[in-house]
Amino acid sequence: ALLGLFIYLGTNSIDQINKLMMVGLILSYVALVIFSLPYVQGKNLTFVNWKEAWFIIPPFVISFGFHNLIPSLGNYLK
């Protein structure tokens, strides 16, 4: 019902809500970084285990490429 109300009010209201949510997203990220800084250990940032790094490649590719995949799947699945 709430989403329907925003759609009924038009694209301008949706744009304003989108801006508000984006500000909230940015503030949440900044807060996460600030509050987690005391727990960061510099020595852990310099260690690399290439043998184990291969496991992160599929999630890495998907996380930066999913927005290109969704329209293709939509067309494929009709």
Side-chain angles (χ1 to χ4, degrees), residues 1-59:
L2 186 61
L3 181 61
L5 175 66
F6 293 135
I7 293 172
Y8 176 75
L9 293 174
T11 57
N12 191 24
S13 66
I14 295 172
D15 183 46
Q16 296 300 319
I17 294 167
N18 191 28
K19 288 178 186 177
L20 181 67
M21 293 177 112
M22 196 62 174
V23 168
L25 181 67
I26 292 168
L27 290 176
S28 297
Y29 179 74
V30 169
L32 175 70
V33 170
I34 290 172
F35 289 124
S36 64
L37 279 177
Y39 302 101
V40 174
Q41 297 176 5
K43 66 179 181 174
N44 291 339
L45 297 175
T46 60
F47 176 76
V48 177
N49 184 354
W50 292 110
K51 187 176 183 182
E52 298 294 327
W54 289 104
F55 292 108
I56 198 61
I57 291 175

Side-chain angles (χ1 to χ4, degrees), residues 55-65:
F55 292 108
I56 198 61
I57 291 175
F60 180 76
V61 170
I62 291 170
S63 67
F64 288 103

Side-chain angles (χ1 to χ4, degrees), residues 60-76:
F60 180 76
V61 170
I62 291 170
S63 67
F64 288 103
F66 77 96
H67 55 280
N68 293 330
L69 180 66
I70 300 296
S72 299
L73 283 176
N75 289 336
Y76 178 73

